[in-house]
Every structure is written in structure tokens, then in C-alpha cells.
Amino acid sequence: MSRPGRWFRSRFRPVEALTSVPIFFKILGIGFLVAVQFGGATLFFTRGDLSERLSRALEQRAKSSADWLATGLERAVITGDIVAVQHQLASAQASIEDVRYIVVRSADGKPLAHTFPHGIPTDLERLARNGFAPAEGTTVLSAGNRTLLEARRPILGGSAGMVQIAFTDASIVRGVTSHQESVFRALAFSVCAGTILGLLLTTLVTRPVWSLVLATQRIGRGDFAARSRVFAQ
């Protein structure tokens, strides 16, 4: 072997370096790795399923809200009371969490009322004109960095118009974030508990050895009356 190779082996000995680590840190490291792997696997396998379940819950919530609005707006739309329609939309947006917008259209697709402060966005109107938003159903839309779920329900079977209500994905984000925080808290608790148990275990394992080392040192100094404590019967 070349001289640089011998020099490298003489100074870098991973096996010796590993075996020279105190047993407490070995047990602590093993416990930490197990906790991290368990937490990572739990987060990986449950996050996708949680997101899917939250998406289905949001879709059902959007459909039920659209049904409720379509029923509640029937009288005001039939009588042409746009002020009452606008008031009901404002009340619904204020009372229903995560609602991005509500639009009420006539039977021919023209907007009657909405909750946008500066008018219906051009992109949303273009979708309605081009037929990308059918009279009934749900559609996933993109709004910048957020995802919207829009539900549409006909008013009086479509003869009086249609209501559109869109929800943001904030509830899904909150649910996933809360799940991640729970996993991280459980992981932190496991690490703390593992540290305490590792300390107790290493104390039980090394106490007899340490007692023997102390007795050997006393004998080496000439104290032949030194004895190692026996921890078992």
C-alpha cells in the first residue's frame, strides 16, 4: 500500500471511532434513528390518505352549501329582488368558512349578483361563456398559489338560474399542517422519552463496570482491600 494510503488508514479508522463512542450515545443514537424513521414513515403513509379524505369532505361541503343557497335564493330570484339576493350572498360568505366567492346567474348565464368587490374576474367569465362550467357539478380551479373547488347548483331546476360557490383549499392545508405538527410533537416526545430511558439503561449497564474500574484503580494504587460492589444476588 502507498504511503498516503497508510497515512489515511492510520488516521481514519471508522470502526475504532465507532467503538470508542460511549454506550450512552450509542443507545441514544439508535433510539433517535428509530423515532425519526417511525415518524417519517407515519407522515409519509398518512399524509396522502389524509389529503384525499379532506378533499372529499370539502367537495361534500361545497355541494351541500350550493344546494342550501339554491333553495334559499328561489323566491328572491323569481321576484327579481336583486338587493335581497345580494344580501343573502353577503350573509352566506360571512357565515360559511373558506368561501372565496359566490355568483348567481340567470337562466341564460348572465350574472345577477356576486360577492366580488370589483366585479367578476375576466377568466371566470370566459370559462362560463365557453361552456367550461356546466350547469351542475363541481370543478377544481386554480387561483394563483391556491386551489379552488367550485360547486354549481341550478335554481328551480335551472329555469330560474344557477348558483356558483367556490371554496379555497384552506381547510385541507390546515388539516395537513395540523397532522404534521401532531407527528412532530409525537416524535419530539419519543426522542425525549428515549433519552431518559437511554440514560437509565446505560446507568444500569455501566454501573457495575464502572465500579469494577474504580476498584481496579484503587488496587493499582496499592489499596489491596478495595472491592468491587456486587449488584446482583
Side-chain angles (χ1 to χ4, degrees), residues 103-163:
V103 178
V104 176
R105 297 184 182 274
S106 62
D108 57 1
K110 295 180 180 180
L112 297 177
H114 58 81
T115 58
F116 291 102
H118 305 294
I120 300 176
T122 305
D123 294 340
L124 190 61
E125 276 298 285
R126 187 182 299 113
L127 290 176
R129 288 196 302 268
N130 294 338
F132 289 106
E136 185 173 1
T138 58
T139 304
V140 177
L141 304 174
S142 178
N145 297 328
R146 304 304 296 267
T147 299
L148 303 180
L149 179 65
E150 182 188 270
R152 297 168 301 279
R153 285 294 184 271
I155 302 174
L156 288 177
S159 60
M162 178 184 66
V163 60

Side-chain angles (χ1 to χ4, degrees), residues 3-229:
R3 181 174 299 176
R6 289 195 299 270
W7 179 88
F8 181 79
R9 288 192 60 186
S10 63
R11 283 162 175 74
F12 184 74
R13 298 176 179 177
V15 177
E16 295 182 4
L18 184 61
T19 55
S20 62
V21 176
I23 188 173
F24 169 71
F25 294 105
K26 292 179 182 178
I27 296 177
L28 181 61
I30 293 173
F32 178 77
L33 289 176
V34 171
V36 170
Q37 290 179 352
F38 177 77
T42 301
L43 186 62
F44 176 79
F45 287 109
T46 59
R47 181 175 179 177
D49 180 66
L50 178 63
S51 298
E52 183 178 353
R53 287 189 287 110
L54 290 175
S55 298
R56 290 197 300 267
L58 179 61
E59 182 178 2
Q60 184 61 38
R61 181 183 172 199
K63 290 179 179 179
S64 61
S65 298
D67 289 335
W68 173 72
L69 277 173
T71 303
L73 291 169
E74 289 179 357
R75 181 181 296 275
V77 172
I78 292 175
T79 58
D81 190 352
I82 304 302
V83 175
V85 173
Q86 192 68 48
H87 177 71
Q88 291 187 48
L89 296 190
S91 299
Q93 187 175 34
S95 60
I96 304 176
E97 191 178 18
D98 301 330
V99 172
R100 182 64 177 268
Y101 63 80
I102 308 174
V103 178
V104 176
R105 297 184 182 274
S106 62
D108 57 1
K110 295 180 180 180
L112 297 177
H114 58 81
T115 58
F116 291 102
H118 305 294
I120 300 176
T122 305
D123 294 340
L124 190 61
E125 276 298 285
R126 187 182 299 113
L127 290 176
R129 288 196 302 268
N130 294 338
F132 289 106
E136 185 173 1
T138 58
T139 304
V140 177
L141 304 174
S142 178
N145 297 328
R146 304 304 296 267
T147 299
L148 303 180
L149 179 65
E150 182 188 270
R152 297 168 301 279
R153 285 294 184 271
I155 302 174
L156 288 177
S159 60
M162 178 184 66
V163 60
Q164 300 170 251
I165 181 170
F167 285 79
T168 67
D169 60 349
S171 61
I172 299 177
V173 174
R174 288 195 301 268
V176 173
T177 301
S178 176
H179 175 67
Q180 290 176 339
E181 292 175 352
S182 299
V183 172
F184 289 142
R185 284 195 296 266
L187 178 60
F189 175 79
S190 299
V191 171
C192 294
T195 301
I196 296 174
L197 292 177
L199 179 61
L200 295 176
L201 181 60
T202 52
T203 301
L204 295 175
V205 172
T206 60
R207 185 171 57 173
V209 178
W210 181 243
S211 178
L212 181 61
V213 170
L214 293 178
T216 304
Q217 292 177 350
R218 290 175 59 187
I219 293 174
R221 292 193 297 267
D223 184 5
F224 296 103
R227 295 292 184 272
S228 176
R229 182 181 175 184

